Amino acid sequence: MYKQIYLTTLVLLLLNAVNGSAQNSNGAPYRVTGRIADGTDHAPVEYANLILYNASDSTPAGYTATDAAGNFSLSSRQEGDYFIAVSFIGYRAVRTGTFRLSAEKKNVTLPDILLEENEQALAEVVVTGRKRQVVYKLDKQVIEAAEFLSAAGGTAADILLQTASVRMDAEGEITFRGSSGFKVYIDGKPGSLGGAAALEQISAGQIDNIEVLTTPSARNDADGAVGIININTKKSNLEGWSGMVNLMGSSVWSRNMDFLLALRKKDFRWQLSGEASRRFVLSDYDQLKTIITPELLTTDHSTGDRRRHTAWYYLRSSFDWLKENTTWSAAVTGGYRDRWRGGDLHYEDTYESVATGEKTYGSFNGKDYVHLYESHFRGDLGVEHNFPGRKGHRLTASLYGLYEGDAMEYFRTDLWDMQGKQVQGHRAWEHEYRFTGQANADYIYPFGNETGKFESGYQLFTYTEDGDYIIDMFDPERDAFARRDDLYNKYLFRRDIHALYALVSDTYHRFGYQLGLRGEYTYRKLGNNFEWARHSRHRFDLFPSVHVSYALNDNSQLRAAYTRRITQPELFYMEPYVVYVDYNTAQMGNPFIKPEYTNAVEVGYNLSFNSNNTVSAALFHRARRDKIERLRVPYHASVTLDSMANVGNDYSTGIDLAATLQLYRFWNLDANTSYYFYKIKNRFKVDDDEESWNWQLAVNNNFDLAKNTRVRLEAYYVGPMVSTQGRVDGFFYLNLAARQQLLNRKLIASLVVRDILSTAEYINKRSGPGMETLSKIYPRSPLFTLTLTYTFNNFRPQRKAEGTNHDLFEGTNR
């Protein structure tokens, strides 16, 4: 039945597009076309607003918006003299000269119209073409990685966290408006990692901008409750050779080197990029844990340090060949990833008999270590064909394959008494081989005056993981580690997704719309040694999307959107065996975890005024069914077990506000805040449902102090947040960043000091039947980072993004 509904809807959308094309082809006889571009780098400006005016009386005669290539087409039924007014948030409004449409000149093509960014600079400061920090489009926000100094030497996470409602916990997990789960794309293609791990693998120096799709359209993957984060990397469009090199070092011995080398000729572009990165996070750790079993009440107090290390090495070569109306592209990437976390802890334990009240005590020293590494190889192929005769009439196809071999997940814990004799411990190995593949075919047909578009496409996604799990447990009687064959597990996981989608979009005067529908068939199979955990699933889902916008005038716009999303459970959510994170914390997957479904609605408003000031607001509501969350329960003695579960439904409703204000010629202020109500209808707690009012605030001051010198002071407050089993307290911190341009702006030096006052702290309280935990984590701060960027052969220098990073802690998943 669902398949019939889906196919019928696709046919109706297609008929609507064809009918719209037929009706509009008999329209006005006079037409003016052209292209809108950024005056700094000549990149196309999408969704710019254009109004056609009669030159005689300044009455409007037509309205449209630019497409993704910056192209526009306006028409009129009467001949005469006309001019066009062009506006877009973050740019100065532009008015063209007068031109004439007549019987002799029915079609007029204007030269490129270049928009100047709103900027006021000191007379003695070099004007660098500062970009808008955030650009709002019909279905996404674009965060420009050009003005955020404090991300220098950082990663994509440092840039992204500039956005209102985004927060990162001490474990590195990113949430948006209280919800986790998002997909990460790189240059429009799925990344080799997911979630926060993917963001931390991409150097800020390689990033041009980040697109945040909070309400993705049916064109995009339906996976990811929060939406999609697409990272667009830097590319050079300059003729000849060009390139850049970034070097970074920090006070905790993090270091990074990345480079980009480009060659551009008339009909081809070749790029070689690479990175060698080692990043560290250090924190002090304090946890009090109480576990109640029918026989024993155990209180464990553990203190020590937590360390996290991420290493990333890769080389990537890409090639684009432009031949007439067709572009062929290919890329190969190879590299190695290495991540570990762990620490040295001291334990003071108290054991109280429930029956007698008798207490005994124990003191121990422990060490825990989790190490994950793999090599990877990826190949990409793509083709884009533009049909002649109609702008935007396009067919694209792409294919990629990713192989991750020699993958290892190694877990180790050790516990010694105060005399140095080992009393507990384990060793566990997960050997894995993974393959990911995806194929896409997309078609776009413009209709009407080429402002309308019909889009349709097909996608195949496949993922396979083959591995086994081995564990050795310490035997105190034998004083040695022994293999636990009863816990051995060999598993094979596969997920295939077939998807079809259709979209119709158009603009009419000041109104724009986009309607879409996506259908996905999913096959999932988990095989392993435990018969009770084996299963396969077949599922078909529909995912509609609606986006509308209305330009109130040349400087303000209203937009609204609705989308339905899904979060597919990852394999590690389902692994049916126990892994020890440390002496008193174990983890286990749930093979029968269900996907999450999310319905999201958003209404936004954008306004620009007084040349260089912008204000935006967004009202939102998000409802998620079958929320996936890690639950903690008593396991045995002093050990708790964390397992994944569909804990219930959650809801978030609130508002995001953001503003950029030019207070003086040398002083620019940008601020954003988010305030929302979050509630969890919890299936696993006998008390009331968890709920809270959440808010966070960022106030950032940018100062142009002298020629080529810029300083930024950031203040952040991250408010408290509830979860299914507890609460995370709020915290506050300050960052300071400075940048100096040297050697005619070919060399840029950036110094960043994070958490200047050492005020950041992570305090998490969790409770459940028979268990209570209080965790406190304090980052080693302040943290100093120095970055040097050198560009050569006219590679356009692009400043580092100046985002924030709440990833100051290590050790929360304990």
Side-chain angles (χ1 to χ4, degrees), residues 266-286:
K266 181 178 179 181
D267 58 353
F268 77 93
R269 176 176 59 200
W270 172 79
Q271 288 197 169
L272 178 68
S273 60
E275 182 174 351
S277 176
R278 295 174 68 88
R279 301 178 186 272
F280 295 90
V281 178
L282 304 178
S283 299
D284 294 315
Y285 179 81
D286 187 321

Side-chain angles (χ1 to χ4, degrees), residues 263-542:
L263 173 63
R264 176 68 188 262
K265 294 295 184 182
K266 181 178 179 181
D267 58 353
F268 77 93
R269 176 176 59 200
W270 172 79
Q271 288 197 169
L272 178 68
S273 60
E275 182 174 351
S277 176
R278 295 174 68 88
R279 301 178 186 272
F280 295 90
V281 178
L282 304 178
S283 299
D284 294 315
Y285 179 81
D286 187 321
Q287 183 184 81
L288 184 65
K289 180 183 290 186
T290 301
I291 301 174
I292 303 174
T293 65
E295 299 81 18
L296 196 65
L297 187 153
T298 303
T299 302
D300 171 78
H301 187 201
S302 54
T303 57
D305 60 46
R306 306 301 305 161
R307 300 182 295 274
R308 184 167 79 237
H309 163 265
T310 302
W312 168 243
Y313 311 93
Y314 83 90
L315 279 175
R316 184 177 191 270
S317 179
S318 63
F319 181 83
D320 298 309
W321 180 38
L322 294 76
K323 184 174 178 60
E324 296 180 351
N325 296 317
T326 304
T327 300
W328 301 86
S329 61
V332 292
T333 306
Y336 176 77
R337 288 189 294 261
D338 187 336
R339 293 97 67 203
W340 62 259
R341 67 179 186 270
D344 299 303
L345 297 178
H346 176 71
Y347 300 91
E348 290 290 338
D349 290 354
T350 301
Y351 312 99
E352 181 179 348
S353 171
V354 174
T356 65
E358 180 182 356
K359 293 183 179 180
T360 57
Y361 302 90
S363 298
F364 307 93
N365 290 320
K367 181 187 289 288
D368 59 89
Y369 180 71
V370 177
H371 190 191
L372 300 88
Y373 57 87
E374 70 271 341
S375 57
H376 63 95
F377 177 82
R378 173 169 173 157
D380 291 80
L381 294 173
V383 61
E384 177 181 305
H385 178 70
N386 291 279
F387 296 95
R390 185 180 287 269
K391 288 184 179 180
H393 189 192
R394 185 164 65 243
L395 177 65
T396 61
S398 62
L399 173 70
Y400 88 87
L402 170 66
Y403 174 74
E404 298 170 282
D406 302 319
M408 171 66 75
E409 297 182 13
Y410 174 58
F411 304 84
R412 172 178 175 172
T413 62
D414 291 290
L415 191 71
W416 301 275
D417 61 23
M418 299 309 293
Q419 289 72 46
K421 179 178 176 59
Q422 186 153 12
V423 294
Q424 294 287 348
H426 95 294
R427 310 283 188 267
W429 300 263
E430 288 185 35
H431 300 268
E432 299 172 349
Y433 296 89
R434 314 182 193 110
F435 175 77
T436 307
Q438 183 168 305
N440 289 76
D442 302 276
Y443 175 72
I444 300 177
Y445 180 80
F447 60 85
N449 294 323
E450 298 179 357
T451 60
K453 288 192 297 185
F454 170 75
E455 304 176 52
S456 184
Y458 167 77
Q459 176 179 292
L460 166 64
F461 172 85
T462 182
Y463 176 80
T464 302
E465 182 172 326
D466 186 5
D468 60 5
Y469 175 74
I470 301 170
I471 183 170
D472 293 347
M473 302 290 291
F474 184 78
D475 186 347
E477 294 183 359
R478 298 169 51 191
D479 194 27
F481 286 88
R483 179 64 47 85
R484 291 288 303 271
D485 292 330
D486 59 316
L487 297 179
Y488 170 78
N489 190 273
K490 181 167 180 60
Y491 56 88
L492 177 65
F493 176 76
R494 180 177 175 182
R495 176 182 285 133
D496 294 335
I497 301 176
H498 298 266
L500 284 171
Y501 75 88
L503 280 169
V504 173
S505 60
D506 201 355
T507 58
Y508 180 75
H509 295 295
R510 294 179 177 269
F511 175 74
Y513 73 90
Q514 182 191 83
L515 306 175
L517 183 65
R518 184 182 186 91
E520 290 191 352
Y521 164 75
T522 302
Y523 169 72
R524 184 182 90 186
K525 182 177 182 179
L526 176 63
N528 60 82
N529 286 8
F530 303 138
E531 185 175 353
W532 62 271
R534 299 172 195 161
H535 69 269
S536 61
R537 297 285 186 272
H538 299 265
R539 188 177 63 252
F540 180 81
D541 296 294
L542 289 173

Side-chain angles (χ1 to χ4, degrees), residues 453-759:
K453 288 192 297 185
F454 170 75
E455 304 176 52
S456 184
Y458 167 77
Q459 176 179 292
L460 166 64
F461 172 85
T462 182
Y463 176 80
T464 302
E465 182 172 326
D466 186 5
D468 60 5
Y469 175 74
I470 301 170
I471 183 170
D472 293 347
M473 302 290 291
F474 184 78
D475 186 347
E477 294 183 359
R478 298 169 51 191
D479 194 27
F481 286 88
R483 179 64 47 85
R484 291 288 303 271
D485 292 330
D486 59 316
L487 297 179
Y488 170 78
N489 190 273
K490 181 167 180 60
Y491 56 88
L492 177 65
F493 176 76
R494 180 177 175 182
R495 176 182 285 133
D496 294 335
I497 301 176
H498 298 266
L500 284 171
Y501 75 88
L503 280 169
V504 173
S505 60
D506 201 355
T507 58
Y508 180 75
H509 295 295
R510 294 179 177 269
F511 175 74
Y513 73 90
Q514 182 191 83
L515 306 175
L517 183 65
R518 184 182 186 91
E520 290 191 352
Y521 164 75
T522 302
Y523 169 72
R524 184 182 90 186
K525 182 177 182 179
L526 176 63
N528 60 82
N529 286 8
F530 303 138
E531 185 175 353
W532 62 271
R534 299 172 195 161
H535 69 269
S536 61
R537 297 285 186 272
H538 299 265
R539 188 177 63 252
F540 180 81
D541 296 294
L542 289 173
F543 301 98
S545 67
V546 179
H547 295 80
V548 296
S549 67
Y550 183 78
L552 300 173
N553 51 52
D554 291 350
N555 298 310
S556 61
Q557 182 188 57
L558 282 172
R559 66 187 192 281
Y562 162 78
T563 188
R564 184 173 188 256
R565 309 283 297 162
I566 187 174
T567 299
Q568 304 277 7
E570 302 291 341
L571 174 59
F572 70 87
Y573 291 178
M574 296 180 278
E575 294 170 336
Y577 46 82
V578 175
V579 173
Y580 281 82
V581 178
D582 63 29
Y583 159 61
N584 56 19
T585 307
Q587 293 180 353
M588 181 179 179
N590 176 359
F592 302 105
I593 199 82
K594 295 185 294 185
E596 300 174 337
Y597 290 92
T598 301
N599 289 279
V601 178
E602 185 171 319
V603 178
Y605 173 74
N606 310 318
L607 170 68
S608 64
F609 60 96
N610 292 345
S611 178
N612 200 36
N613 301 286
T614 62
V615 174
S616 66
L619 296 169
F620 60 86
H621 175 73
R622 185 184 303 272
R624 177 167 52 175
R625 190 184 78 201
D626 293 327
K627 170 182 168 62
I628 298 174
E629 190 170 306
R630 190 181 299 276
L631 292 181
R632 177 167 291 179
V633 296
Y635 190 41
H636 58 77
S638 62
V639 180
T640 56
L641 177 66
D642 294 349
S643 185
M644 307 304 297
N646 295 106
V647 298
N649 304 333
D650 70 345
Y651 310 87
S652 58
T653 304
I655 185 171
D656 290 339
L657 298 172
T660 300
L661 304 174
Q662 191 74 42
L663 302 180
Y664 291 98
R665 296 181 67 191
F666 63 91
W667 181 12
N668 174 273
L669 180 144
D670 62 88
N672 66 70
T673 185
S674 178
Y675 188 75
Y676 61 94
F677 177 73
Y678 180 72
K679 181 175 182 178
I680 304 174
K681 289 190 173 181
N682 187 359
R683 299 172 184 161
F684 292 89
K685 195 169 183 177
V686 295
D687 299 335
D688 294 336
D689 296 327
E690 297 287 353
E691 60 183 45
S692 66
W693 286 96
N694 305 280
W695 69 283
Q696 58 193 72
L697 174 67
V699 179
N700 307 313
N701 294 273
N702 306 280
F703 301 98
D704 291 315
L705 298 184
K707 186 175 182 177
N708 297 325
T709 303
R710 187 169 292 166
V711 173
R712 178 175 171 98
L713 177 64
E714 304 175 339
Y716 294 100
Y717 176 75
V718 182
M721 179 72 185
V722 300
S723 64
T724 302
Q725 290 188 303
R727 169 189 173 93
V728 179
D729 289 355
F731 61 91
F732 166 82
Y733 63 94
L734 290 175
N735 294 339
L736 180 65
R739 184 187 69 207
Q740 179 68 47
Q741 296 175 323
L742 306 163
L743 302 179
N744 196 25
R745 294 172 54 212
K746 290 184 177 181
L747 178 64
I748 300 175
S750 301
L751 176 65
V752 180
V753 186
R754 295 175 56 200
D755 193 17
I756 303 170
L757 304 179
S758 301
T759 54

